[in-house]
Amino acid sequence: MREDAFRGAPARPRWRRPVAVLVVAGLAVGAGLAVAGAAGSRRPGETVTGGDGQTAASSRLAEAASVARDDPTRALDLYDQVIEDDPRSVEAWAERSLLLASLSVGLERPGLLDEARRSVDQALAIDPEDPRSRFYLGLVELFAGDRPAAEAAFEQALADDPPPPLRAAISARLEELRAPPAPSTTAP
């Protein structure tokens, strides 16, 4: 069923290229944080090959992050598996949101953006102070065309004390939002 949402996408107009660059940057930050989160989820004394559900979830999250660009359907399935096992997995809800938002823009499917918003809202309901989820909310708002809401979400994400790589990504999005619009190249 999910594959049907990806089929029949119209050709992208040229102005979509800057948005695609933003999406790729967002996915790169998200994937990096997902892998770092999965790698750093062990406590002192725990082994890499532990058999608990947390290890399986970390493995699925890392795999989803690594396949998201080339196989988004597989990545969504992996996020959904983690959520099924642990409905309070902020990371799975947040990363699922970013992937859906990216696909919404790339495939011009607004329904996916609505689903992305539901996922990020779920992540924020679980942890309202998670800077990554707040950043992803800002991206969803930006993709939806609500620049003031995007700016507010980005500012809140910075206030939630994100790690340095995420802080840099959030700051870059804020700079882009606050930059004066480029002069029009069309003649009157």
Side-chain angles (χ1 to χ4, degrees):
M1 181 166 159
R2 215 181 263 125
E3 290 175 4
D4 293 339
F6 305 136
R7 288 192 194 127
R12 286 182 256 165
R14 289 180 186 241
W15 62 268
R16 288 286 201 189
R17 186 167 176 75
V19 173
V21 169
L22 176 70
V23 169
V24 170
L27 279 172
V29 169
L33 290 171
V35 171
S41 64
R42 288 182 286 131
R43 292 184 177 90
E46 288 182 342
T47 64
V48 175
T49 58
D52 64 7
Q54 184 64 30
T55 303
S58 294
S59 177
R60 284 187 187 130
L61 290 168
E63 182 182 353
S66 71
V67 303
R69 184 172 177 205
D70 296 325
D71 191 354
T73 301
R74 173 78 178 131
L76 287 171
D77 286 342
L78 289 163
Y79 291 135
D80 290 344
Q81 288 173 25
V82 173
I83 290 166
E84 185 177 314
D85 292 343
D86 180 10
R88 296 193 51 81
S89 174
V90 173
E91 186 174 349
W93 283 112
E95 295 305 321
R96 181 180 191 277
S97 172
L98 177 64
L99 180 55
L100 288 166
S102 300
L103 291 170
S104 173
V105 171
L107 298 175
E108 299 181 20
R109 301 281 192 220
L112 293 176
L113 190 58
D114 294 338
E115 192 173 341
R117 183 181 305 279
R118 286 189 292 275
S119 290
V120 78
D121 286 347
Q122 184 62 38
L124 287 166
I126 296 165
D127 184 356
E129 296 178 5
D130 178 50
R132 177 178 32 181
S133 297
R134 189 69 58 187
F135 174 54
Y136 294 171
L137 174 62
L139 291 175
V140 169
E141 297 293 4
L142 185 61
F143 297 162
D146 191 341
R147 293 172 66 91
E151 186 173 350
F154 294 151
E155 288 172 349
Q156 183 59 53
L158 285 175
D160 289 336
D161 194 28
L166 182 56
R167 178 173 293 283
I170 297 165
S171 296
R173 296 298 79 75
L174 272 171
E175 282 182 35
E176 291 171 8
L177 277 174
R178 293 175 177 161
S184 177
T185 58
T186 59

